[in-house]
Amino acid sequence: VRIEGLAARLAAIVGPAHVLEDPDVRAGYELDWTRRWRGTALLVVRPASTAQVAATLDACAAAGVTVVAQGGNTGLVGGSVPRGDAPAVVLSLGRLVQLGPVDTTAAQVAAGAGVTLAALQAHVEGSGLRFAVDLSARQSATVGGMAATNAGGIHVMRHGSMRSQVVGLEAVLASGETVSRMTGLVKDNTGYDVCGLLCGSEGTLGVITALCLRLIPERAFRLAVMVGLPGTSAALDVLAHARRLESLEAAEIMFAEGIALVGEMTGVRPPFAAGYGCVLLLEFAADEDVTDAVAAVLEHAGCPDDRLAVARAPAERARLWELRERLTEVVNVVGVPHKLDVTLPLRAIPAFADGVAELVRSVAPDARAYVWGHIGDGNLHVNVIGPDPDDDRVDAAVLQDVSARGGSISAEHGIGVAKARWLGLTRSAADIAAMYAVKRALDPSGMLNPGVLFAGGAP
Amino acid sequence: VRIEGLAARLAAIVGPAHVLEDPDVRAGYELDWTRRWRGTALLVVRPASTAQVAATLDACAAAGVTVVAQGGNTGLVGGSVPRGDAPAVVLSLGRLVQLGPVDTTAAQVAAGAGVTLAALQAHVEGSGLRFAVDLSARQSATVGGMAATNAGGIHVMRHGSMRSQVVGLEAVLASGETVSRMTGLVKDNTGYDVCGLLCGSEGTLGVITALCLRLIPERAFRLAVMVGLPGTSAALDVLAHARRLESLEAAEIMFAEGIALVGEMTGVRPPFAAGYGCVLLLEFAADEDVTDAVAAVLEHAGCPDDRLAVARAPAERARLWELRERLTEVVNVVGVPHKLDVTLPLRAIPAFADGVAELVRSVAPDARAYVWGHIGDGNLHVNVIGPDPDDDRVDAAVLQDVSARGGSISAEHGIGVAKARWLGLTRSAADIAAMYAVKRALDPSGMLNPGVLFAGGAP
């Protein structure tokens, strides 16, 4: 490690104002959004262009320090802050905020890695197009971070995750070389899908600096439906009917305990009487009015008339969605949740959802589990309040249960440091060896985000 | 190279009947579908399971021979037959034809690599679901080969290419290790997208043995529209209007010379008078009847009433599509085409399409160029008849022109051996170096499909 003079070298690249050494200033870059992970950065560097990112990585490589790339720092698995086991530079992409014109013919837009989702949405608004991925951290989450973690959100069931939106990408590799494919060509079978490989690589293979993103037409008609149901099996029945409709865009599930908590703390409640085991929130979007088709499907699926709310106007729809969005906020107020984001085969969901609270209590008797999720994808968020941040016995128990049921230990949050030790629950030794071979090929010295994905280095 | 005894070792793995050494029997595996590429196989081996594929690769590695994986051998870039520069075994996946039950809840099906597209379609029929990728080689093309080449076809604009359909994959790597992710979980952010990396890797990173494939709901209503237009700019105008409709599923373009050739040779003609520069063929699919919405859009786009055909019944739609499907057949009868499959930014299409015939003649005065393609994706197939198979001056001129216009030298056919020397027209040196690093990481000895993708080995 030859870190003497690194700050000066970086200042020459990005300007002295963008090399942050003051501990108070650094602090916001050192603690992640969940407050479970914190580290100490050697310094924070804020380049303003791909060329500056490349020069920054060269300087860090020469100094022998590791690099943690950081977007909006809204990750939930500790992948965007230093670990503290080696001197790390935090490379913030927050200044790469350029936005290209909205190309309405190709339905695409180019964006710097540091553009927030909210800024992208505002930029696209009024064009007749919209960006397909949406999530509640939109004010802070950046498109670069969302690509690096292959973010999901509420529309994956119809439009795919972040990787599906990326039609072009630019990234700097550990070698300091820039790979770039910003042509926006939807079909381009010229070798390996390096863009897709970098999406979801969690900062371990390269630093994403720019993206060309697919946009989708804004639909003229939207409908939100909230329905209270006895339990998960009934919810899956309704879902099976509803997903025959092409217009189904989101299918969220919430359970009684979480809904009660939101009600107590915010006053936001479903617009019907309690007595349900879970609540399903569906959103439909189409060129035409699909109210009749949706009503027919819901009736056919046996939805109860007295626990059903339908909203068409934006404000009415927002009211239904508020319950879902408040759930995340409220749980974060109650405590520092262990956020276990898992996918299960749809058929395995009822047994898992019915048993998870008891499983959690069997490990940590005082813990509370709040569960919600993107039921359309089989993706549940299990939020456990109670155990200390460093106590991961509950995490282990839940993830092992998920694995035994054929599920995945991460649906959309990624592995980060939070789940690195459990990667083997979902991926085989051969899979992990293949991934590590790719890691070693593109980052031989292991300078990019060490500790993320592969616990303790080589598998 | 220690090839003595290889045939016997392979026979012990797959059974003697499935190690083909007779030159007459081998011949069908040695000549590709375009008839431009031919090689000599040491032998052809036909394993019947993933385990047999793994043992086969181990035996080939021990013998020091290279391996060319082959599905339906319908590739168009010479990637599925031996090159003849090194002793190669052809590994045919044709016996991996197992098909799992259609999972109507998850909308998925598991299929062996050797299942043909037609067999998959037949298997799924009647379930209310269908497979999103369709192409005219459906009787021979296998899902394994389609994944290995990230095949496209006529529905990419709405449903994505083959990579987008793969929700699970099993493959044997050069090491003999099997990577497997057949859980069918749509959201699974647990490390690098090895499935996506293998899709489109053209047999150079591993041998795909099984897939879990996404299915989509069959739509109740379908409409095909054929319209004759003055030229490419007019076609792009109509497309810009039509793609606002979510129901648009395919948008194909054909030009007057090709249509005339089909008419002469088969009698199949558009159902309206000549005088057009090009013909656009659109297909719409929706839950509801969208005839009025489509008619409104076509009128708004200024489609001529007297060169417009609309078809709803299956037989009527098939008649419109016949023109498009016959085009490929007819050109293959006229000669051995140089098949140049390119993508261009939509705005660059008119100038390219208007100039390509003259560009071809400027290099080869007696050559004829027939152009058609998936205009919705900016993907044109330039078929050049005339030059000898080994004479690639026309190929070079067209691909350089595409590159200069911001396009890609391969949209959906891949690079294979046909375009390996021109990879640098579309991918930067840094991109190619990154790809080669991945290749070396997963196939250090270069035993899998040498000569494909990377011309002459290391870049």
Side-chain angles (χ1 to χ4, degrees):
Chain A
V1 181
R2 296 167 298 278
I3 59 176
E4 304 80 21
L6 177 60
R9 277 198 298 281
L10 293 177
I13 295 164
V14 302
H18 301 294
V19 178
L20 315 179
E21 295 187 88
D22 180 333
D24 291 342
V25 178
R26 280 184 354 230
Y29 298 84
E30 294 176 333
L31 175 66
D32 95 331
W33 193 80
T34 66
R35 296 162 288 158
R36 274 189 80 188
W37 288 278
R38 183 199 299 271
T40 303
L42 208 56
L43 53 81
V44 177
V45 57
R46 305 178 70 242
S49 67
T50 300
Q52 288 186 6
V53 171
T56 295
L57 286 185
D58 279 341
C60 290
V65 299
T66 65
V67 174
V68 178
Q70 187 177 98
N73 199 16
T74 59
L76 299 171
V77 288
S80 57
V81 291
R83 265 104 257 161
D85 41 2
V89 163
V90 169
L91 193 169
S92 166
L93 282 304
R95 292 176 68 212
L96 277 74
V97 292
Q98 71 279 18
L99 273 163
V102 176
D103 180 340
T104 52
T105 307
Q108 293 172 355
V109 64
V115 171
T116 63
L117 176 54
L120 176 69
Q121 289 170 336
H123 182 65
V124 170
E125 194 166 354
S127 68
L129 299 167
R130 70 186 177 97
F131 186 60
V133 171
D134 194 16
L135 35 80
S136 45
R138 61 185 75 84
Q139 296 296 334
S140 314
T142 60
V143 294
M146 290 169 66
T149 57
N150 188 29
I154 57 178
H155 297 142
V156 173
M157 64 177 300
R158 183 157 177 199
H159 303 298
S161 62
M162 197 66 189
R163 187 182 283 120
S164 303
Q165 319 310 322
V166 172
V167 287
L169 181 148
E170 186 166 84
V172 183
L173 304 181
S175 63
E177 295 269 10
T178 300
V179 292
S180 181
R181 221 175 175 189
M182 289 289 285
T183 47
L185 300 170
V186 176
K187 285 168 102 171
D188 187 11
N189 271 354
T190 52
Y192 308 148
D193 184 16
V194 174
C195 297
L197 182 64
L198 284 160
C199 288
S201 66
E202 303 189 32
T204 64
L205 295 180
V207 177
I208 296 171
T209 55
L211 296 157
C212 181
L213 296 166
R214 172 175 89 111
L215 301 173
I216 58 173
E218 189 66 84
R219 299 296 160 204
F221 183 83
R222 291 195 158 264
L223 190 74
V225 173
M226 184 174 275
V227 54
L229 294 161
T232 323
S233 292
L236 286 171
D237 275 352
V238 174
L239 176 67
H241 285 86
R243 74 187 319 153
R244 304 292 309 182
L245 294 172
E246 186 152 32
S247 50
L248 181 62
E249 186 158 274
E252 299 289 304
I253 195 165
M254 292 160 276
F255 293 90
E257 313 83 67
I259 294 170
L261 183 70
V262 174
E264 286 160 31
M265 293 183 63
T266 71
V268 175
R269 294 189 169 84
F272 41 71
Y276 43 78
C278 65
V279 162
L280 202 58
L281 176 57
L282 307 175
E283 180 138 335
F284 301 86
D287 289 328
E288 317 272 326
D289 185 337
V290 293
T291 307
D292 292 348
V294 170
V297 159
L298 295 178
E299 193 184 329
H300 190 63
C303 286
D305 281 343
D306 57 342
R307 291 211 177 82
L308 183 68
V310 177
R312 232 162 315 194
E316 285 176 48
R317 285 190 282 111
R319 251 196 301 281
L320 294 185
W321 276 98
E322 194 180 359
L323 182 67
R324 170 66 181 84
E325 300 211 343
R326 284 295 179 94
L327 203 41
T328 316
E329 289 170 36
V330 152
V331 165
N332 281 309
V333 169
V334 172
V336 176
H338 290 235
K339 298 189 83 70
L340 301 168
D341 153 59
V342 301
T343 321
L344 290 131
L346 289 179
R347 65 184 173 282
I349 292 229
F352 173 79
D354 292 350
V356 69
E358 197 176 315
L359 174 65
V360 166
R361 277 194 303 270
S362 74
V363 178
D366 297 329
R368 282 154 295 163
Y370 296 100
V371 180
W372 64 85
H374 315 297
I375 185 79
D377 311 307
N379 178 189
L380 294 179
H381 296 313
V382 180
N383 285 255
V384 180
I385 305 274
D388 285 339
D390 292 339
D391 176 359
D392 57 20
R393 287 171 302 160
V394 166
D395 308 50
V398 172
L399 298 180
Q400 276 158 12
D401 186 53
V402 166
S403 172
R405 295 178 192 278
S408 167
I409 63 164
S410 174
E412 55 179 19
H413 295 172
I415 294 297
V417 295
K419 294 179 178 172
R421 85 202 74 170
W422 296 300
L423 185 58
L425 286 176
T426 295
R427 306 290 290 255
S428 71
D431 280 17
I432 296 172
M435 290 197 285
Y436 197 72
V438 171
K439 163 71 175 175
R440 216 166 27 208
L442 295 184
D443 180 18
S445 74
M447 76 179 280
L448 296 177
N449 232 358
V452 164
L453 216 46
F454 307 102
Chain B
V1 182
R2 297 167 296 278
I3 59 176
E4 305 81 22
L6 177 60
R9 278 198 298 282
L10 293 177
I13 296 165
V14 303
H18 300 294
V19 178
L20 315 179
E21 296 186 88
D22 180 333
D24 290 343
V25 177
R26 278 183 357 229
Y29 298 84
E30 294 176 332
L31 176 65
D32 95 330
W33 192 81
T34 67
R35 295 161 289 159
R36 273 189 82 189
W37 288 277
R38 184 198 299 271
T40 303
L42 209 56
L43 53 81
V44 176
V45 58
R46 304 178 71 242
S49 67
T50 300
Q52 288 186 7
V53 171
T56 296
L57 287 184
D58 279 340
C60 290
V65 300
T66 65
V67 174
V68 178
Q70 188 177 97
N73 199 15
T74 60
L76 299 171
V77 288
S80 57
V81 291
R83 265 105 256 161
D85 43 3
V89 163
V90 169
L91 194 169
S92 167
L93 283 302
R95 293 176 68 212
L96 277 73
V97 291
Q98 71 279 17
L99 272 163
V102 176
D103 180 340
T104 51
T105 306
Q108 295 173 354
V109 64
V115 170
T116 65
L117 176 55
L120 176 70
Q121 289 171 334
H123 182 65
V124 170
E125 195 166 353
S127 68
L129 298 168
R130 70 185 176 97
F131 186 60
V133 171
D134 195 17
L135 35 81
S136 46
R138 60 185 75 85
Q139 297 297 334
S140 313
T142 60
V143 293
M146 288 168 67
T149 57
N150 188 29
I154 57 177
H155 297 142
V156 173
M157 64 177 301
R158 183 156 176 200
H159 302 298
S161 63
M162 196 67 188
R163 187 182 285 121
S164 304
Q165 318 310 321
V166 173
V167 287
L169 181 149
E170 186 168 85
V172 183
L173 304 181
S175 62
E177 295 270 9
T178 299
V179 292
S180 181
R181 221 176 176 187
M182 289 289 284
T183 47
L185 300 170
V186 176
K187 285 168 103 170
D188 187 12
N189 272 354
T190 52
Y192 308 148
D193 184 17
V194 174
C195 297
L197 182 65
L198 284 160
C199 288
S201 66
E202 303 188 32
T204 65
L205 295 180
V207 178
I208 296 170
T209 56
L211 296 157
C212 180
L213 296 167
R214 172 175 89 112
L215 301 172
I216 58 174
E218 189 66 84
R219 299 295 161 204
F221 182 83
R222 292 195 157 264
L223 189 74
V225 173
M226 183 175 276
V227 54
L229 295 161
T232 323
S233 292
L236 286 172
D237 276 351
V238 174
L239 176 67
H241 285 86
R243 75 188 318 153
R244 304 292 309 182
L245 293 173
E246 186 152 33
S247 50
L248 181 62
E249 185 158 275
E252 300 288 304
I253 195 166
M254 293 160 276
F255 293 90
E257 315 83 65
I259 294 171
L261 184 70
V262 174
E264 284 159 31
M265 294 184 62
T266 70
V268 175
R269 293 189 170 82
F272 42 71
Y276 43 77
C278 66
V279 161
L280 202 57
L281 176 56
L282 308 175
E283 181 138 334
F284 301 86
D287 289 328
E288 317 272 327
D289 184 337
V290 292
T291 308
D292 292 347
V294 170
V297 159
L298 295 178
E299 194 184 329
H300 190 63
C303 286
D305 282 343
D306 57 342
R307 291 211 176 83
L308 183 68
V310 177
R312 231 160 317 193
E316 284 175 49
R317 284 189 284 111
R319 251 197 302 281
L320 294 185
W321 276 98
E322 193 179 0
L323 182 67
R324 170 67 181 83
E325 300 210 342
R326 284 297 180 94
L327 203 41
T328 316
E329 288 169 38
V330 152
V331 165
N332 281 308
V333 169
V334 172
V336 176
H338 290 235
K339 298 188 83 71
L340 301 168
D341 153 58
V342 300
T343 320
L344 291 130
L346 289 179
R347 64 184 174 282
I349 292 230
F352 173 79
D354 291 350
V356 67
E358 197 175 314
L359 174 65
V360 165
R361 276 194 304 270
S362 75
V363 178
D366 297 330
R368 282 154 296 161
Y370 296 99
V371 180
W372 64 84
H374 315 296
I375 185 80
D377 310 306
N379 177 191
L380 294 179
H381 295 315
V382 180
N383 285 254
V384 180
I385 305 273
D388 286 340
D390 292 337
D391 176 358
D392 57 21
R393 288 172 301 162
V394 166
D395 307 51
V398 172
L399 298 181
Q400 276 157 13
D401 186 53
V402 166
S403 172
R405 295 177 191 277
S408 167
I409 63 164
S410 174
E412 56 179 20
H413 294 173
I415 295 296
V417 295
K419 294 179 178 171
R421 87 203 71 172
W422 295 300
L423 185 58
L425 287 176
T426 294
R427 305 290 291 254
S428 71
D431 280 18
I432 296 171
M435 291 197 286
Y436 197 71
V438 171
K439 164 72 175 174
R440 215 167 29 208
L442 295 184
D443 180 18
S445 75
M447 76 179 280
L448 296 178
N449 232 357
V452 164
L453 216 45
F454 307 102

XYZ file of all heavy atoms in Angstrom, chain B residues 399-407 425:
70
model
N -20.439 -4.301 -43.830
C -20.275 -4.210 -42.378
C -19.556 -2.915 -41.982
O -19.894 -2.301 -40.955
C -19.528 -5.440 -41.846
C -20.259 -6.775 -42.066
C -19.449 -7.937 -41.493
C -21.661 -6.761 -41.471
N -18.596 -2.475 -42.801
C -17.936 -1.197 -42.504
C -18.920 -0.034 -42.621
O -18.893 0.893 -41.816
C -16.733 -0.991 -43.427
C -15.484 -1.689 -42.888
C -14.459 -2.008 -43.955
O -14.535 -1.509 -45.070
N -13.491 -2.851 -43.603
N -19.796 -0.125 -43.605
C -20.811 0.925 -43.771
C -21.752 0.950 -42.557
O -22.076 2.014 -42.026
C -21.601 0.657 -45.066
C -22.568 1.781 -45.390
O -22.133 2.956 -45.441
O -23.769 1.493 -45.579
N -22.162 -0.224 -42.116
C -23.037 -0.315 -40.941
C -22.346 0.299 -39.725
O -22.937 1.090 -38.977
C -23.403 -1.795 -40.671
C -24.009 -1.966 -39.282
C -24.362 -2.306 -41.745
N -21.107 -0.063 -39.542
C -20.352 0.433 -38.392
C -20.234 1.962 -38.447
O -20.426 2.644 -37.435
C -18.969 -0.220 -38.392
O -18.150 0.352 -37.419
N -19.976 2.483 -39.624
C -19.832 3.939 -39.773
C -21.142 4.661 -39.460
O -21.139 5.822 -39.064
C -19.375 4.270 -41.193
N -22.245 3.967 -39.617
C -23.556 4.576 -39.335
C -24.009 4.308 -37.886
O -25.170 4.538 -37.547
C -24.613 4.034 -40.304
C -24.361 4.420 -41.764
C -25.405 3.801 -42.687
N -25.049 3.935 -44.095
C -25.284 5.017 -44.839
N -25.877 6.062 -44.314
N -24.917 5.042 -46.110
N -23.130 3.765 -37.060
C -23.478 3.541 -35.655
C -24.203 2.237 -35.411
O -24.818 2.052 -34.353
N -24.154 1.333 -36.376
C -24.873 0.073 -36.230
C -23.998 -1.041 -35.693
O -22.837 -0.827 -35.347
N -15.210 -3.846 -35.505
C -16.040 -2.774 -36.076
C -17.141 -2.358 -35.109
O -17.651 -1.241 -35.182
C -16.679 -3.229 -37.397
C -15.755 -3.331 -38.613
C -16.528 -3.888 -39.807
C -15.174 -1.961 -38.957
